[in-house]
Amino acid sequence: MTTSWIETQLTEYLLERFGEAVQPDSRPGYLGFLVARNKLLEVCRSLRDEFGFDYLSSVTGVDYHPEPFMEVVYHFYKSTGGSALVMKTQAPRDNPTVPSLCSLYPGADFQEREAWDLLGIRFEGHPDLRRILMWEGFAGHPLRKDWREPFFEEDAKPFKSRWPEGHFIRVEDNNPYKNNVSYPPDFDPGKWVPDKDELLYGGLQSFEEDSEIKTERIVVNLGPQHPSTHGVFRMVVLLEGERVVDLKPVMGYLHRNHEKIGERNTYLQNMPFTDRLDYICSMSNNFGYALAVEKLMGIQPPERAEYIRVMMAELTRFLNHMFSIGFLLNDLGAFFTPSLYAIEERELILDIFEEVAGSRMMCNYFRFGGVARDVPEQVLDKIKTLVHDRLPRKLDEFERYLTHNEILRSRCEGVGVLTPEQAIALSVAGPVLRASGVPYDVRRADPYSIYERLEFDVAYGIHGDIYDRYLVRIEEMRQSLRILRQVLKDIPNGPVMAGKPQFQVRVPPGEAYGRVEGPKGELGFYVVSNGKPNPWRYHVRAPSFINLTSLKTMAHGAKVADLVAILGSIDIVLGEVDR
Amino acid sequence: MDENELNLRPNQIPEELKGSIAVTTLDRIYNWSRRNSIWPMMFGLACCAIEMIATAASRYDFSRFGMEVMRASPRQADVMIVSGTVTKKMIPQIVRLYNQMAEPKYVIAMGACASGGGPFKEGYNVVPGIDRFIPVDVYIPGCPPTPQALLNGLITLQKKIDSESLKSVRWYQKGKIEPIPIPVLGPDLIDPRQSPLIKELCQSQISNVSPAGTPENLEAHHDNQLD
Ligand code: SF4
């Protein structure tokens, strides 16, 4: 990696100013700096205010058991573009405590809670450090390396029992309860008092009273089974009349332990699991993960594969935005008709996915160093017809019905506003960030694959309200079509895999953070390898999850009906929120 | 089943009354009317729910089978399509929803996850199959099942309804149908029906005698608690 002048400057400055407290991370394959815990806040403040690293993309922890420490890894970016600044801080494993960055970067809120929940790293000064994905009262912190799940078989796959002989065992038979559970010794279910969510409900009321008419405040739970929450998501709202005065999102109802399973899997075995993160856009998820591992392996896919990848990613963006606008309209009360229009187009794109990958939704199509199989000529023709004729036509039709629709405009304009400063501070990504007037798109800000040579504009809004988010999505669909036209014109012939397809890839030790501009925002994969066939740490920076940090800010003062629309405009998918 | 199939003795009806009279059994007409109007509960859990939505949309359109109205309220639903991974955090709500549904009620386990845990079975927050808590009528394999598979599942459910008889159906038997006990979120998920076993096993862990399973099982079990 080439270091630019500014980066050298930065390194020198940091080393000089903080002396011992900041060290370049010298482990082979590792990047960035190690910062002493007690200086963390100071260093970050200087980074943010003096060097412009105002966007905290990802916070996560790594357990280096049996080494006696845990590490918290931060990825900072500038909202004006450029590559990452990686910082780490270490804490002793028996009592890991690290200062919270919430005061500087409010977007760290949920991510720090997640690290506390899953790894047991305590963040000092965090305003609301509760478990986020599991429930209060759950025993242990599951992502720690010495924590074993009830269905534990071995530390790493492929399991000896199954490979190469192919025997299988029923894990239930090994568990005394014949179920996926285990309890601490001396546990007595009769004496157990389940958590009553007191902390959750008690934490409401953080906003000052600012209305003149005082009415009694009531707490309302929306979800987890609620038609407007796009799956199993729960919002606890404090209402004054019909106005939302405080809100706390509750998630984890679809927490499927993606990361724990991912660390037992081999690298390639994780690919189909990434499909199931944001299950509407499986191709983009594949893309991000493939990029991260390719970075570690130091390989590059051949030209044709790059074109195919971009093609699939842009088709995915189109179908996702179509879908999300359809469902936004559902939330506004136009029940199911716009969605039917959207799903019609989606089906056509799914047909293409089915033809190239073998499955409609769970494509599992990308491989390290390429894609699984080539796109046949007749499928290319199909894509051409879609891109040149059908999709632009349908998009126009969609717009004709919606964009200047009076009801849509009056429900969306000026509702759920997020200012650019708030958006950056809250680490919001994707269309929501851009609608707030921050033209930050990873495809342009930190280009990957072949995006550098493609012509397209970054769509962005001005007002940061629901309507601008809608417009940004529409414009992004147009830009996706523009990209697709170029790709279809230029796609070269040639192989689609670098080298032979391998089931067991060799990944040198080190760390890598691969990120793509997914349809929902910046999708990042943080992978740590120790040279074994399985990733040591596998973390997903999920845009839906982090975008939810901003829900409270957007919803403050809104009516309940608007709250539903605001949630719809963020465009979340629970598979990705909860992982 | 069309009208003719409903009619058991078409030959015995006078010509002029054909079309307005059918001779059939109570069971048949009861099932015939129920099987053609099964309202699913509007409730999606994970990826499979997206395929369920696709099945509801225009291309596959399950309203052709009398399922046009998805109800968000369990009180108005006839069938619960468990469409996705069931997690421990979510299972109390699902059991509660099931209890709130009015009889006759049916459950379809859609996809690998709902049927048996699927790709996420080994996860610490995953319930390996919804049938550990609520009775399932139809299992649909697939990850996710295609819309065609879901339709096939729904048709299978219709066949099941056809074969029921008023004399033996659960909801016309004497006595009350007990609700399913709601699982509790403890240090791990607690199934109230297993409480005595949990207590016994946890006590024996302290004294290190093994009441069930082999010693290794118990050892593995201890390891779980290392944290
Ligand atoms: S069966 Fe597959 S598609 Fe369905 S919820 Fe499970 S992982 Fe998702």
Side-chain angles (χ1 to χ4, degrees), chain A residues 130-361:
Chain A
R130 286 176 295 121
R131 281 185 182 268
I132 188 163
L133 295 177
M134 301 303 286
W135 59 88
E136 288 299 330
F138 181 74
H141 301 285
L143 275 187
R144 291 195 174 192
K145 286 289 174 183
D146 53 359
W147 192 94
R148 288 173 174 185
E149 56 273 43
F151 276 174
F152 174 80
E153 285 181 65
E154 268 174 63
D155 276 323
K157 288 177 192 172
F159 295 144
K160 288 190 201 72
S161 62
R162 320 223 180 136
W163 192 81
E165 276 83 30
H167 299 305
F168 75 94
I169 46 164
R170 279 173 49 88
V171 267
E172 288 94 329
D173 299 340
N174 277 348
N175 183 299
Y177 307 100
K178 307 280 173 252
N179 198 354
N180 189 4
V181 288
S182 67
Y183 307 92
D186 83 355
F187 171 66
D188 182 355
K191 299 209 185 93
W192 176 258
V193 191
D195 177 48
K196 294 254 171 34
D197 280 345
E198 272 154 13
L199 274 175
L200 171 67
Y201 294 131
L204 290 167
Q205 263 130 37
S206 56
F207 284 116
E208 289 295 305
E209 294 197 28
D210 52 3
S211 71
E212 306 195 333
I213 315 161
K214 300 265 178 296
T215 49
E216 199 193 336
R217 295 181 159 193
I218 49 166
V219 176
V220 176
N221 272 293
L222 279 96
Q225 199 276 116
H226 189 280
S228 74
T229 54
H230 295 229
V232 281
F233 175 65
R234 173 173 161 211
M235 294 180 276
V236 183
V237 281
L238 181 69
L239 296 179
E240 200 175 86
E242 222 194 312
R243 246 166 30 92
V244 176
V245 289
D246 201 359
L247 174 149
K248 281 195 191 292
V250 185
M251 43 260 224
Y253 295 99
L254 190 55
H255 179 45
R256 303 191 276 196
N257 330 127
H258 190 83
E259 293 178 8
K260 186 80 176 176
I261 296 176
E263 286 166 19
R264 301 236 189 278
N265 280 345
T266 63
Y267 284 93
L268 190 58
Q269 278 177 327
N270 273 337
M271 193 60 86
F273 280 86
T274 62
D275 288 339
R276 287 154 181 82
L277 278 172
D278 172 355
Y279 31 74
I280 298 179
C281 322
S282 62
M283 290 283 195
S284 319
N285 306 341
N286 285 183
F287 205 166
Y289 179 57
L291 276 188
V293 178
E294 279 162 9
K295 250 191 203 173
L296 270 174
M297 294 167 67
I299 54 170
Q300 197 97 54
E303 274 295 275
R304 186 174 172 87
E306 294 275 27
Y307 275 83
I308 295 178
R309 284 178 170 195
V310 169
M311 196 155 72
M312 295 305 154
E314 295 307 320
L315 281 174
T316 305
R317 193 181 317 278
F318 191 94
L319 87 83
N320 176 75
H321 286 352
M322 210 65 181
F323 207 69
S324 83
I325 292 176
F327 278 83
L328 170 68
L329 266 290
N330 258 10
D331 294 339
L332 290 176
F335 192 68
F336 224 58
T337 311
S339 313
L340 286 180
Y341 277 80
I343 291 173
E344 208 182 328
E345 305 319 304
R346 178 175 178 265
E347 286 289 336
L348 296 176
I349 299 179
L350 291 191
D351 283 349
I352 289 171
F353 289 173
E354 192 171 8
E355 265 183 85
V356 297
S359 170
R360 285 155 51 86
M361 273 173 69

Side-chain angles (χ1 to χ4, degrees), chain B residues 141-161:
Chain B
C143 180
T146 55
Q148 294 91 327
L150 177 58
L151 287 179
N152 185 42
L154 292 169
I155 295 169
T156 312
L157 180 65
Q158 290 187 325
K159 290 196 183 131
K160 175 166 181 169
I161 295 177

Side-chain angles (χ1 to χ4, degrees), chain A residues 92-107:
Chain A
R93 199 167 177 279
D94 43 7
N95 178 25
T97 318
V98 169
S100 161
L101 287 192
C102 277
S103 53
L104 293 173
Y105 298 92

Side-chain angles (χ1 to χ4, degrees), chain A residues 256 276 362, chain B residues 46-48 83-85 110-114 118-120 142-145:
Chain A
R256 303 191 276 196
R276 287 154 181 82
M362 304 305 177
Chain B
C47 352
C48 280
S83 53
T85 319
M110 178 183 181
C113 285
F120 297 97
C143 180

